[in-house]
Amino acid sequence: MANTVDVDTKTFTSVQKVTKVVSQTPGKLVLADDIVFVNNGSPVGNGIQAGDTSTNGADGTAEKPFDTVTEGTGLAAQNSFGTSRLWSVYTQGGTGIDYNDNAITAGMTRFTSSYLPIVGVDGRTFGGNTDRPVLYGGILSFFGPTLIVEGYDFRSGIEEFGVAVFGINTSNALIRHNLFSDMGEFDLEEGAGAVTFYVQDDQPHHFAVENNEFRDVFNSIGLIADADSLSDTLNVTLDVRNNLFAGEGYAIFTTGAYGSGLVTTNFTNNEITGNFYIPFISWTEGDVTLNSTFANNVFTSSSDVEYMFGAEISDDTKFNLTVKNNQFLGEVWETQFDLYSYDQSTLTADIQNNLFSNEIDQLMYVEQYDDSTLSIHFAQNIVEAEFDEDAIALNVYGTSAGKLIAKFENNLFSGDFSDDVIDAHVSSESSNGILDLTVAGNQFTDYIGDSAIDVFVGDGATANIKVYNNTVAEDAYIDSTFLQISTEGAATVAVTQLDNNLIFGDVDYGFDFFKDAAATFSVFGTQDNIVTNPFTSDIQLNFGITGSFFVNGFEFPF
């Protein structure tokens, strides 16, 4: 039996149309049977009557709706299995009564509400004129081909889990136009959030979370892709776009990728205004590849943030992180990027065209271990902030089978730096770690409390360095040195390009190179480097350094 409901004439709004319009009259819109109605209040006045239980005769039609989301979902799931179609659960909002139940489905199910309109022909719509229905509970999808959740106000989560929307091996999911609020820590696997997707098979999965509001949520979105104990390879894509994250919480978006295969996440065009401890966390194990892109977002985080991006990868995994065209305007307690690589893993961070402003303890902290390869490309960014530590700290603890590759190109470093701008430390503990460092085309302004670039290379370690086409502005003041390189023990330093660095600001030394007796240290360059206002000297270097380079028209070493 079809559903008959009243409609209003409104401007056409494009939404995904699930129900079929069977017929309509000037005052009525008749909907086919692929929609189940839920109403826990009195008659609405548009054809939806007061809800009741199935034992009292409710059948999910507009004339006899259910009064719980649980019963509505049960019928929709049953019908989806029977018809192999997507069925909708339409929940009435604005009734003044909260819904206190959970929905469990395994079919193709769309959860929608009176907060959003159903659009018929000629722009005639049904619903879309109430508050979101408030649900103290959640929605759980087991192995469902399709899950859509739109237009709900979630205030808690599924019992025993604390998750509001939970998709387990769901193939396709769209979560949009919902409000998630006042949700504490989740009693589930590490990385779970108010919206959680758990994947443990090799089927293609595509999830989208868009146009939602998350307020005072411990962790907003969690993806757990785990094929570690299976022979399956992962194939997962998650898009998070156009959402608002506000209030206080621990994390915004956590990703755990384990086993093998490919996991892709995209976090784009979101606004973050709240206080979060570690907004973005990624873990990888096995030989999985995780590609994560953060683009065109606006962050106005507070001083409660410890790390903006935290990543720890191990085994044979590959993690490709892209951060571009974002505005980071808030205060960060500790570090903007906190990156660690272990074992034989590969971590690549491409950070371009971002604005970093306000007060930041540290922009980047990196540790490379074992045989891993950690690559950073930091280019065309504007950094105008106050720093309480080294702005960028690069640490190498790995072996000769691994490497830390860092390129800083065409950036503006401006503000108040209490220590170094770029500090690189190749530890003697690793005995044979390798650093490849390029600093090119950057501009340094304002105050630098120590050195612009400071490199230490320990016993047995190797550093390959290029520094060229950088400018220290006339208004800049560097307490120590523009480029300082020091060695310990049997270190190896090869500066292969020291060219055209224009140091117009005040410095103690333009260049300060120290070679330990057992070290190998060479510097080469073909273009002159200019130091106009050194307090002590334009260059300081000790005996044993080889090569050929130029400072203020003189060739060194003598």
Side-chain angles (χ1 to χ4, degrees):
M1 180 177 178
N3 298 288
T4 304
V5 292
D6 294 330
V7 297
D8 296 319
T9 301
K10 298 180 181 178
T11 302
F12 182 80
T13 303
S14 178
V15 297
Q16 183 170 345
K17 184 168 180 283
V18 176
T19 58
K20 298 191 294 289
V21 178
V22 176
S23 64
Q24 70 178 45
T25 63
K28 300 288 183 181
L29 183 68
V30 182
L31 306 173
D33 289 302
D34 49 1
I35 185 167
V36 176
F37 286 89
V38 175
N39 178 23
N40 66 354
S42 57
V44 179
N46 62 358
I48 299 179
Q49 302 304 312
D52 209 332
T53 64
S54 57
T55 56
N56 290 332
D59 58 11
T61 61
E63 292 79 10
K64 295 181 180 180
F66 295 113
D67 61 0
T68 66
V69 179
T70 301
E71 280 206 291
T73 303
L75 179 59
Q78 176 183 326
N79 290 343
S80 176
F81 280 118
T83 62
S84 298
R85 295 202 314 261
L86 178 72
W87 274 71
S88 295
V89 178
Y90 182 95
T91 306
Q92 183 66 38
T95 65
I97 305 172
D98 299 334
Y99 292 87
N100 290 277
D101 54 324
N102 299 307
I104 301 176
T105 182
M108 293 183 287
T109 312
R110 176 197 190 200
F111 293 87
T112 189
S113 76
S114 57
Y115 177 76
L116 299 170
I118 295 177
V119 181
V121 296
D122 299 327
R124 295 163 66 82
T125 62
F126 169 69
N129 56 356
T130 73
D131 293 335
R132 296 179 178 94
V134 176
L135 178 58
Y136 283 89
I139 295 171
L140 174 61
S141 173
F142 280 105
F143 300 89
T146 303
L147 172 66
I148 301 173
V149 181
E150 55 185 9
Y152 286 79
D153 181 349
F154 291 95
R155 302 285 180 89
S156 65
I158 301 168
E159 293 179 3
E160 299 179 1
F161 296 122
V163 178
V165 178
F166 192 10
I168 301 176
N169 283 342
T170 301
S171 298
N172 300 284
L174 174 60
I175 316 299
R176 62 181 180 181
H177 302 299
N178 302 287
L179 171 61
F180 300 87
S181 62
D182 300 319
M183 296 185 185
E185 187 170 356
F186 306 106
D187 186 18
L188 193 63
E189 186 170 340
E190 184 179 36
V195 177
T196 297
F197 301 107
Y198 186 89
V199 175
Q200 200 176 28
D201 62 29
D202 62 354
Q203 299 302 306
H205 297 268
H206 188 272
F207 311 127
V209 181
E210 62 184 30
N211 296 301
N212 302 282
E213 294 183 34
F214 296 85
R215 298 182 179 274
D216 296 314
V217 176
F218 182 80
N219 180 25
S220 297
I221 301 166
L223 171 62
I224 304 167
D226 185 3
D228 193 36
S229 61
L230 306 173
S231 60
D232 298 329
T233 58
L234 297 165
N235 183 1
V236 183
T237 300
L238 170 57
D239 294 312
V240 179
R241 55 195 177 227
N242 301 311
N243 301 282
L244 171 65
F245 301 89
E248 296 185 358
Y250 183 83
I252 293 173
F253 185 20
T254 59
T255 303
Y258 313 104
S260 61
L262 175 64
V263 177
T264 302
T265 65
N266 301 297
F267 189 91
T268 58
N269 297 300
N270 300 284
E271 182 180 359
I272 296 89
T273 64
N275 307 337
F276 300 93
Y277 192 63
I278 306 177
F280 304 102
I281 307 173
S282 299
W283 305 275
T284 62
E285 292 179 3
D287 61 356
V288 69
T289 296
L290 171 61
N291 297 327
S292 294
T293 298
F294 297 82
N296 303 306
N297 304 287
V298 178
F299 300 82
T300 56
S301 55
S302 80
S303 57
D304 286 340
V305 175
E306 183 169 2
Y307 310 113
M308 182 65 74
F309 294 89
E312 184 174 311
I313 68 168
S314 59
D315 297 333
D316 295 308
T317 60
K318 296 178 177 63
F319 178 32
N320 301 310
L321 171 66
T322 301
V323 181
K324 60 183 181 180
N325 303 321
N326 301 284
Q327 296 182 57
F328 299 93
L329 307 179
E331 298 177 2
V332 176
W333 224 15
E334 292 287 342
T335 306
Q336 199 86 20
F337 298 91
D338 196 53
L339 309 176
Y340 298 79
S341 64
Y342 299 91
D343 303 323
Q344 294 81 40
S345 64
T346 301
L347 193 162
T348 302
D350 186 14
I351 306 167
Q352 296 194 51
N353 297 303
N354 302 284
L355 170 61
F356 300 93
S357 186
N358 214 320
E359 183 176 343
I360 307 170
D361 271 17
Q362 192 166 55
L363 181 63
M364 183 183 302
Y365 184 85
V366 170
E367 290 189 1
Q368 178 268 339
Y369 287 90
D370 306 322
D371 299 340
S372 66
T373 299
L374 201 160
S375 300
I376 297 167
H377 185 214
F378 190 89
Q380 297 179 321
N381 300 286
I382 297 175
V383 181
E384 48 182 21
E386 297 180 13
F387 293 90
D388 296 331
E389 301 180 42
D390 297 325
I392 297 167
L394 310 174
N395 298 280
V396 178
Y397 301 103
T399 69
S400 59
K403 184 181 291 189
L404 172 58
I405 304 169
K407 295 181 179 180
F408 300 91
E409 300 175 317
N410 304 310
N411 303 286
L412 171 62
F413 293 102
S414 174
D416 190 324
F417 299 84
S418 65
D419 290 298
D420 301 326
V421 178
I422 299 172
D423 181 273
H425 190 100
V426 191
S427 175
S428 57
E429 297 174 10
S430 65
S431 75
N432 54 359
I434 299 175
L435 168 69
D436 287 355
L437 174 65
T438 300
V439 183
N442 302 284
Q443 183 173 3
F444 299 86
T445 70
D446 298 329
Y447 175 75
I448 298 174
D450 202 337
S451 297
I453 308 162
D454 189 348
V455 181
F456 170 81
V457 186
D459 186 22
T462 299
N464 304 304
I465 302 170
K466 296 179 181 180
V467 179
Y468 60 93
N469 296 339
N470 299 286
T471 301
V472 177
E474 290 184 20
D475 65 349
Y477 184 93
I478 302 178
D479 250 5
S480 183
T481 309
F482 168 68
L483 174 61
Q484 178 171 304
I485 304 174
S486 58
T487 61
E488 179 183 81
T492 299
V493 173
V495 181
T496 58
Q497 189 173 2
L498 185 65
D499 288 317
N500 196 39
N501 296 289
L502 307 177
I503 306 168
F504 299 129
D506 295 327
V507 294
D508 192 13
Y509 291 96
F511 302 91
D512 186 357
F513 301 149
F514 174 78
K515 174 189 175 299
D516 203 351
T520 301
F521 198 139
S522 63
V523 184
F524 289 90
T526 60
Q527 300 179 47
D528 199 13
N529 299 277
I530 305 299
V531 184
T532 60
N533 294 302
F535 181 76
T536 301
S537 177
D538 52 6
I539 184 168
Q540 174 174 260
L541 70 166
N542 64 342
F543 292 106
I545 295 176
T546 62
S548 172
F549 63 98
F550 298 86
V551 177
N552 288 342
F554 292 93
E555 184 177 2
F556 293 88
F558 292 119

